[in-house]
Amino acid sequence: MGVLGSIAASVIRGDDEGIPRLIGQALGQGIPAREVLVEGLQLGMAEVGRRFRECEFFVPEVLIAAEAMKAGMEELRPHLAQQGVQPAATAVVGTVKGDLHDIGKNLVAMMLEGAGFEVVDLGVDVSAEKFAAACRQRPVQLVAMSALLTTTIVQLDSVIRYLKNEVDPVPVIIVGGAAVTQEFADQIGADGYGRDAATGAIVARRLCFGQRSASSSD
Ligand code: B1M
């Protein structure tokens, strides 16, 4: 297995200690930082997403893989910047106002990062105004919102209406969370819905770039 394959395998195993050394090794071999990102880290994360959707992996394995992805990104980020590699798109992520659940939202953020987005994570209890402000601070291609409670899914509707009135251009908006269904997403005018975090990232990629992530199908 080449060094890029080892990087992907390290993400899948969640080897956050070994991954910086492998990234250094790949860069030392003259492999461009973008290739290390796409063929190493992102390929690994796409496989984690596939295993998660097919119930071969559960939340703990995904969280551990995400730590490795994060460690890899920390090592790689300065080289990406130095080589002028820009993220494909920026995603603003958050759990809606009144809702403090963040485990699913964090998984979505990780999967989006693994799918090539630069992620701005606004955290939990995020108001429509805060989502809009984040979209005005920088060019944002995607807003990804999570809602877990039957009492907070209405916030998704409010944020979508607010963004459509207050932000120009309106980013692609996807929603998800335990209390959300495809029917509800359609009803409130969301562009997309993900029943799980990995599917959310696939839907986001398709909507933003017109393509699927490296190794997944839904
Ligand atoms: Co809360 N809680 N909770 N809770 N909690 C639920 C959601 C509940 C179903 C439990 C129950 O009663 N059976 C229930 C909601 C009932 C309802 O509204 N229908 C509930 C309740 C009632 C409450 C409180 C009101 C309890 C109280 O205080 N009386 C309170 C509300 C606080 C608030 O938010 N204001 C509360 C509090 C909490 C804790 C703080 C204790 C804790 C949250 C800790 C944290 O997140 N840091 C908590 C937890 C842990 C849960 C359960 C047990 C687990 C949630 C979770 O993290 N699941 C949950 C019951 C359950 O789901 N079994 C429950 C794992 C996570 C990976 O799944 O977030 O659904 P999930 O994300 C999934 C998908 O939904 C999807 O991807 C993920 C999987 O890949 N997804 C997206 C999520 N966001 C997405 C976005 C996308 C695409 C996919 O695109 C943008």
Side-chain angles (χ1 to χ4, degrees), residues 52 98-104 108 145-146 148-150 176-178 194 196-197:
F52 183 52
D99 200 323
L100 304 177
H101 296 85
D102 71 354
I103 299 169
V108 172
M145 291 186 283
S146 198
L148 268 282
L149 300 169
T150 42
D196 57 56

Side-chain angles (χ1 to χ4, degrees), residues 1-54:
M1 186 192 296
V3 68
L4 296 179
S6 301
I7 290 171
S10 293
V11 171
I12 297 164
R13 268 201 321 276
D15 180 9
D16 61 337
E17 286 178 8
I19 219 159
R21 184 184 51 79
L22 286 170
I23 301 249
Q25 197 180 319
L27 295 168
Q29 287 175 14
I31 301 175
R34 188 178 186 284
E35 208 172 313
V36 177
L37 176 68
V38 176
E39 302 297 329
L41 292 174
Q42 289 185 359
L43 208 67
M45 208 57 194
E47 174 61 13
V48 171
R50 186 197 65 74
R51 292 187 189 187
F52 183 52
R53 280 186 300 117
E54 292 178 11

Side-chain angles (χ1 to χ4, degrees), residues 137-150:
Q137 273 165 18
R138 56 185 80 69
V140 169
Q141 287 73 32
L142 178 78
V143 170
M145 291 186 283
S146 198
L148 268 282
L149 300 169
T150 42

Side-chain angles (χ1 to χ4, degrees), residues 105-129:
K105 182 268 299 169
N106 292 344
L107 291 180
V108 172
M110 290 157 200
M111 293 291 173
L112 287 175
E113 185 161 23
F117 288 84
E118 179 181 34
V119 172
V120 178
D121 188 345
L122 302 180
V124 296
D125 194 20
V126 182
S127 65
E129 292 80 1

